[in-house]
């Protein structure tokens, strides 16, 4: 079957973005074929140019000229899939609601992934779990000796990268307190509705699912915390995995003004930790600084500068500025006092 009929992607079971996209493909009834492996090697074996940077998951999509290109970055791919396949959309038609959905997706991809990476490699027992399962997730029959080597190699490399996302002994309490507040906010939100913006899932739900699939399903410490404080979230993760039987209709998007107060608690967490991180990072990118330090949730945070996250902030602002006056004022009243407004430029 050609790419046209069955969408091809390469990823890993323990990659949150791979899980985000697989759940989305199932929900959207998009036929797919996933190869478990390294995108770089996969592209080479197919004679297709690698994307830059090479990230998981990588999709093979048809180019305008008829050829096949390898692409990664789940957020724009979701928008591309909306154009390629009709029905069962994950993007609310109401621009104000769509903006909030985008905020949630961005927060999931860029902040919740810090929970994931931190918990995966910060404590020895979690690192041992991931160090063993990651190579086995590529080849379950790996010889024991090779597994031991791979385990040491991956663990050393990933533990050495913790500082990149800002995880350290100093920031660990901030990350872990944010994870608990986030779980509590989501737990109380799920008491009112099945998904973040109503009775059908948006792109933001899939973003959250991707990270939570790991936090709840793969890494021992965050799994225990989730079971302790957020049983609804644990059950939601199982349900989100496959929403192919859900029958969406447009009335299932709950208008912004009817959303329960619990949505705001989620936004308050975004404003409390993600907004300051985005602003500090963007300033560092502008100043050409390789690392940045600043206060997040009352503690000193330091991490490597990420040009990609500065782009995310730019895209969020472009979307915000594209809102019509009425839509923008509905978004503004929801966001007022959450702290999220600090990362949006009024103009
Ligand atoms: N913004 C990207 C992020 C994808 C991403 O960071 N993927 C990770 C795995 S979960 C990756 O491939 N990292 C490369 C590496 O660790 O070498 C997306 O939404 O797809």
């Amino acid at each position: 079957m050609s790419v046209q009929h069955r969408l091809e992607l390469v990823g890993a079971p323990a990659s949150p973005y791979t899980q985000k996209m697989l759940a989305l493909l199932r929900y959207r009834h998009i036929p797919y074929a996933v190869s478990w492996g390294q995108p770089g090697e996969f592209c080479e074996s197919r004679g297709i140019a690698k994307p830059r940077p090479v990230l998981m998951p990588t999709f093979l999509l048809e180019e305008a000229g008829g050829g096949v290109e390898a692409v990664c970055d789940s957020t724009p791919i979701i928008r591309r899939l909306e154009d390629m396949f009709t029905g069962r959309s994950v993007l609310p038609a109401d621009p104000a609601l769509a903006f909030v959905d985008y905020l949630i997706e961005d927060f999931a991809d860029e902040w919740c992934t810090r929970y994931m990476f931190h918990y995966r490699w910060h404590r020895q027992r979690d690192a041992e779990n991931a160090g063993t399962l990651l190579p086995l997730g590529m080849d379950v029959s790996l010889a024991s000796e090779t597994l031991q080597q791979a385990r040491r190699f991956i663990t050393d490399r990933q533990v050495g990268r913790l500082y990149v996302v800002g995880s350290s002994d100093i920031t660990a309490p901030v990350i872990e307190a944010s994870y608990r507040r986030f779980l509590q906010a989501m737990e109380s939100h799920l008491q009112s509705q099945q998904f973040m913006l109503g009775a059908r899932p948006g792109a933001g739900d899939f973003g959250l699912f991707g990270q939570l699939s790991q936090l709840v399903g793969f890494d021992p410490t965050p799994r225990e915390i989730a079971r302790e404080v957020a049983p609804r979230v644990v059950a939601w993760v199982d349900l989100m995995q496959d929403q192919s039987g859900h029958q969406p209709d447009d009335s299932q998007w709950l208008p912004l003004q009817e959303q329960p107060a619990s949505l705001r608690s989620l936004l308050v967490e975004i404003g409390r930790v993600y907004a300051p991180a985005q602003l500090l990072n963007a300033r560092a990118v502008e100043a050409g600084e390789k690392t940045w330090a600043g206060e997040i949730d009352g503690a000193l945070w330091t991490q490597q500068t990420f040009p990609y996250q500065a782009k995310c902030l730019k895209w969020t602002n472009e979307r915000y500025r594209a809102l019509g006056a009425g839509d923008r004022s509905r978004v503004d009243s929801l966001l007022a006092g959450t702290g999220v407004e600090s990362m949006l430029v009024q103009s």
Side-chain angles (χ1 to χ4, degrees), residues 15-17 20 54-57 73-75 109-110 158 161 308:
S15 151
Y17 303 96
K20 171 187 181 184
V54 184
L55 293 172
M56 287 182 190
D73 201 350
S74 59
T75 303
D109 285 358
E110 305 304 325
Q158 299 300 81
R161 279 189 191 171
Y308 179 79

Side-chain angles (χ1 to χ4, degrees), residues 9-13 15 18 34-39 56-58 138:
L9 70 151
V10 196
S15 151
T18 301
V34 60
S35 298
W36 304 114
Q38 298 293 353
M56 287 182 190
T58 291
M138 291 283 150

Side-chain angles (χ1 to χ4, degrees), residues 69-108:
E69 63 171 339
V71 291
C72 46
D73 201 350
S74 59
T75 303
I77 293 173
I78 288 178
R79 275 75 196 166
R80 206 161 151 184
L81 294 177
E82 291 276 325
D83 294 335
M84 290 167 63
F85 301 89
T86 51
R88 304 179 70 83
S89 169
V90 295
L91 306 178
D94 170 17
L97 207 55
F99 180 74
V100 175
D101 177 55
Y102 183 80
L103 265 182
I104 295 172
E105 185 186 359
D106 184 48
F107 167 72

Side-chain angles (χ1 to χ4, degrees), residues 308-322:
Y308 179 79
Q309 284 172 348
K311 274 192 216 159
C312 291
L313 182 61
K314 187 172 140 271
W315 292 329
T316 303
N317 273 282
E318 282 169 2
R319 282 168 191 271
Y320 179 67
R321 278 196 296 277

